Amino acid sequence: MDESADGYYLELSSSVVKFDSVSKVTNVFFDDTNKQVFAVRSGGVMGVVVKGPSPATSTDFCMEDKGPVVSIKFSPDQKVLAIQRSKSSVEFINFLSGEMDAVEYSQNCKGKSHVILGFLWTNNREILFVTDHGAELFQVVPEKKSLKVQKTFSLAINWFVYCPQTCLVLLSSGTLGNQMYPLHVKQGNINKLSRFDVDIPVVPKPPKLCLLERDITLAVLYGEASIIILRHNPRGTGSPGAEVVVYTLLKMMTAKKTHVLRLDLSGRFAINVVDNLIIVHHQASKKSLMFDIAMRGETDGMVTYHQPVVGLQPIKPFTLSLPPVPSPVHTEPTQINCELYSPNWVVFQPNIIIDAKLGCLWAVELNLQPLLTMINDKCLLVDFLMKRADSKPVVIQVLQEILEPTVQNYSHLVVVAELFDHLNEVYCSFLQSEMQSHIGTPASSSLSVSPSKLPPLSPKPWIVIDQSDMYTNVFSKFVDRSRELEEGSSGKFEVWVLLEYIRSLTDFHIPVQHYLYELLINSLVQHQAYYQLHQLLQYHVVSDSKPLACLLLSLESLYPAAHQLALDMLKRLSTANEEIIEVLLSKQQILPALRFVNSVGSVDQVSARKFLDAAKATGDQNVFIGVFKFFEQRNLRLKGTTAFAKGEHCDIYVKHYASLSSEQTV
Amino acid sequence: MAHDSPLALKYFYIFNSNYGQKEGEEAQKILYFFPPQTDLDTQIKNVGLTEAIIKFTETFNSHQKCESLHTLKTRQLYFQPEEGFWMVQVLSVPTVTKTKEGVDHLEYQSDEIQDNVYWSVLEQAYRSFSLFNGTFSQILDDYDLTKLRYKLASYLSKYLSKIKLQHADILDVFHGIQFLPLDKKTFLHVQTVVNLLECSFPKIRCTAFLYNDQLVWSGLEPDDMQVLYRYLVSSLLPAQMESELQGGPIPRQSNSFSALHYGRFASGPTNLQNADIGKIPKVHLKSSSGSVVCHLVIYRALSATVCMLIDEAVSLEIDFFQRLDVFLGQRLTKLASEIAEQCSHGSANSVSAESGAKFVYYNHLNRAQKSTVHLDNRKNGNISVPSDVLRILADLNSDFRDRKPSTGETIVKTMNDYWVVGKLSNLREFYVVIHQKNANLIEINEEVKKLCDSQFKSIFFSE
């Protein structure tokens, strides 16, 4: 296995958040809604240090010690601090002006014997208490230092999990803990979604809680709220490993079991979600697995079974630089290698890892580059990369590599073809959604279909590699390179690849941009594959255009048939009659040119001088006389006289005609 | 018109005057003589006469060699394919018996033999021979005179037995290729399958793709393709179709059920389980560096035919064919059905445009040819106009060839109300036959213009 410096696709963020480590006097809390770490020293008397992702969310203050703190969280706008110290009440301190208010106020949960399992800020002024008997939603009025009950919900609750991104609260009920009640808290309302049961492989006797909070992860995967459940003993004891079950809350309505991730391992696991990927950390092996529910897997129609995209791989080692601490007792090293997958690690969603002992908070990050060598199937790789954020340069790199004109790559054209189809499938759906969103705008509402048919505009999850990307980043470079090589087969490869791309675009009904045709034709010309070019034109693979027709005209000396192709193309363009006349005259085809003028009905507009000049140049007297007579007739018809107008500058031809007719009479 | 004796091949011989210069050694000049049972004396006399005529006519025009000799009972056509070598075709002129004043007498129908048509037939014989055997001088360089005589005898006796002289016509002059009209998308599919094939099997030098008897794609030089096309359409494919119709080798289902396909080799192994790769013809193709010899491997699925040309130096093994079969089988089957669907769409549209006028079209530049005069591609004389009218087409062509105009138009009316219009523009020839009583020139002109508009929407064809 490649373990070189860049062989790690998972790494801990270099910007580590440092905080006081847990000790006898310091308690540490993490609020995953605001991503703030609270280090509470001696119950707050010695100070509370808050570290968040930005300076605005980092602060410190002192408060009275009124007993051990159970939980502590700021409101999202940092104006109200909520502290839980007892089983049945939560205290609030205002920070309205940024400074701490001296007075605390308190709110009890409703039932006297109820126990608060935890509380959640669902909004700047809204807080949800979850007790063992239900949930209570309060409005916080800091100005009055009081709270108002808004909604309540009764249920015997074992534990709960919350996802701040979606405001989804998942309550566990029942003896086994497997009855799931998803709540959607939204603008002062508790929206109860339909309950679902997680199947328990082996029900213990007597029944006891067997689905635990730590096995549940709430996340957003590809825009849908998802419930990720770790199951240690899957059904069918034949397979000893654990598995991860993903329930998807389609449109925030009902949860459906949609994916099963096969771990084939057992032991302690932790789950992070990074860039819509599920990362399963395995402590025993100190390595992680990566799953992508968007990838294909075996399916029974309802549930898709996935293998990891990449097998067990460790996180990149992390070296922590410590500021030199002058200490008389023991000199600390300025750099320490952090222990990865340490038992002190606590994992938060979506991608937070906290080492409570070291006092460090990291985000897990994805490094796409090493995956290029880890995923061998190029189609799979590109499919995977296309769904990652900011992966465009990496995808382009993959394409550049596979289109490098090497002998090895020639045999990969089948893969290239498939790859193009994958790229263009995404490109095509992107174009369609673009078009729909245009149609949907009120400005062109007359064109729109019934708006209800439009799918909800989800944030574009995928990157799109369009024709101009392919051209500027892949094809043009690739063409340059193969020019340098100047080998026979590389030219063929270039044409093959371009045709394959055009074929793929055509299959997806995407109009091909002219620069791709130009590139194709230039490659064909470069490699003197004129007959191939001829056949492509014959089947109208390449769109007609005046520049292309001109290019063809210029090729006549190399490939005589190009002249005919050019004329045909000019004819099809139907806006190039001038050019057709020029081409015919240049070939001294005076009479066909005149006939053509006649057929398109522009006899009265053409310049007599041009024709007379060309006719004179043929040296054929009869042709000249014929043309001269033709224009005399035109003059007669238009002006009532056979004489040419002054502006037509035909004097020399009149003289030439006169000399010819005098010759003939002689 | 019923002939008493039809047009027939009397003699066909090849000689080189440089051989056997001494008296008594004249027989050495003869490389091939048909019919082979002709006694040597007649052979020598014929060759001697031809030599004399060619020599004699040279005194009048040394730049243009003599091409034909007309006699009452025979028509002789001369063709010099390579320096010193002459091919001669002697045809007996068909006769009819006419009764004049109660007396029967033979009348020779010499105008039924058109020089340009039969000269092309002769030329085709040479091109066909050299496609499969190489040029005369090549054979001499590589082997010797005996080998050349042997090759000529073995190839031409077969070739001449199949040739259908009575039905030779304007199409033999053109020797063209029928292209299959396809939309861009389907054509790209054909093109990309061919590309994939060539890059997955780099041994393949070039490829041609046919659907039924129409060409879709050719990677060969047009000259070679013309001859190969003729061979495929007139000889190989009909034989294949016959064996397919008779239920010959049924689509062989080697081992997998999922991969149902109808592909098989038309030249190459008939059974992929055997090590026997069968008899594979070799063809001599033109190339920038002279000529190259290639194996001609042909694979068919449904109506699609792929001809693959592989350098002679490559030794073909059974596993190569197995891999080819795996690669092409399903792809070609799928492609063939796609084209079939396209064609049925296309034909539905064109039927409505059917009018009384028949035409023959030929484009010199891409060798494309199209005919509604001929009802099939088999050269069985299955034509939709009388043969004397068809002959006018070849006459008009001959006239264009002599006068060499860049554009031109000729209109002919026959005694029996047939109008034949020949047009030449932009290196394309177009002949229309219209049968219409009491028509005048303007009406016919209108009719031709309509036909041009419908047929030549997308090309520049001078009116």
Side-chain angles (χ1 to χ4, degrees), chain A residues 410-411 413-414 492 496 499-500 502-503 506-507 509 512 517 531-532 534-536 538-541 560-561 563-564 567-568 571-572 580 584 589 592 595-596 599, chain B residues 179-180 182 184-185 187-189 191-192 195-196 198-200 205 215-218 220 222 327 331 363 365-366 406-407 426-428 456-460 462-463:
Chain A
Y410 292 162
S411 54
L413 194 61
V414 181
K492 265 191 168 180
W496 286 338
L499 276 172
E500 202 61 66
I502 291 172
R503 192 269 313 149
T506 313
D507 279 354
H509 307 285
V512 181
Y517 290 137
Y531 192 47
Q532 187 170 11
H534 194 140
Q535 293 179 68
L536 291 175
Q538 201 174 315
Y539 284 101
H540 306 301
V541 168
H563 182 258
Q564 191 189 59
L567 265 183
D568 294 347
K571 162 92 183 294
R572 286 194 295 270
I580 292 178
L584 290 174
Q589 298 197 357
R595 271 190 223 118
F596 176 74
S599 73
Chain B
F179 283 89
L180 180 73
L182 275 184
K184 169 184 172 177
K185 190 172 156 181
F187 176 74
L188 273 172
H189 287 173
Q191 169 85 83
T192 49
N195 290 347
L196 285 180
E198 286 186 18
C199 88
S200 306
R205 186 187 174 87
L215 186 70
V216 179
W217 161 255
S218 157
L220 284 77
F327 182 90
R331 282 189 171 88
N363 181 353
L365 289 175
N366 63 357
S406 60
T407 51
N426 204 5
L427 289 170
R428 292 180 170 111
F456 304 131
K457 259 180 293 199
S458 63
I459 62 169
F460 180 82
S462 187
E463 315 256 312

Side-chain angles (χ1 to χ4, degrees), chain B residues 11 13 46 49-50 53 66-71 74-78 88-91 113 115 119 122:
Chain B
Y11 299 120
Y13 47 91
N46 267 294
L49 179 63
T50 308
I53 288 165
C66 177
E67 288 181 351
S68 69
L69 175 72
H70 296 212
T71 68
T74 66
R75 180 69 57 87
Q76 311 198 0
L77 297 141
Y78 308 132
V88 181
Q89 181 176 247
V90 181
L91 304 168
I113 302 181
D115 282 353
W119 199 81
L122 183 59

Side-chain angles (χ1 to χ4, degrees), chain A residues 139-158:
Chain A
Q139 191 188 5
V140 183
V141 190
E143 291 78 12
K144 292 183 179 169
K145 297 194 170 61
S146 69
L147 283 83
K148 273 200 296 200
V149 183
Q150 291 204 300
K151 275 273 162 12
T152 58
F153 171 71
S154 295
L155 181 77
I157 295 170
N158 301 313

Side-chain angles (χ1 to χ4, degrees), chain A residues 267-341:
Chain A
R268 266 192 74 185
F269 298 100
I271 289 176
N272 274 139
V273 173
V274 183
D275 202 356
N276 295 313
L277 296 168
I278 300 173
I279 311 285
V280 182
H281 305 293
H282 183 231
Q283 202 181 16
S285 66
K286 291 187 182 296
K287 282 175 180 166
S288 307
L289 291 170
M290 177 172 74
F291 291 89
D292 184 354
I293 58 162
M295 299 303 255
R296 256 173 242 157
E298 290 172 54
T299 176
D300 59 9
M302 303 290 287
V303 182
T304 313
Y305 297 86
H306 295 269
Q307 298 293 330
V309 178
V310 174
L312 279 174
Q313 290 282 328
I315 297 176
K316 188 178 179 183
F318 190 87
T319 311
L320 189 62
S321 306
L322 293 173
V325 182
S327 164
V329 190
H330 51 271
T331 51
E332 283 203 64
T334 52
Q335 285 206 324
I336 49 164
N337 286 323
C338 299
E339 188 195 351
L340 300 177
Y341 302 92

Side-chain angles (χ1 to χ4, degrees), chain B residues 253 255-261 330:
Chain B
Q253 262 331 294
N255 31 32
S256 65
F257 290 99
S258 57
L260 180 77
H261 69 70
Q330 265 184 304

Side-chain angles (χ1 to χ4, degrees), chain B residues 117 143 162 194 219 222 237 254 274 276 336 407 423 435 454 457:
Chain B
V117 170
Y143 306 100
K162 283 191 200 154
V194 167
L237 291 179
S254 44
N274 286 347
D276 175 25
T407 51
K423 286 167 80 77
H435 186 70
S454 73
K457 259 180 293 199

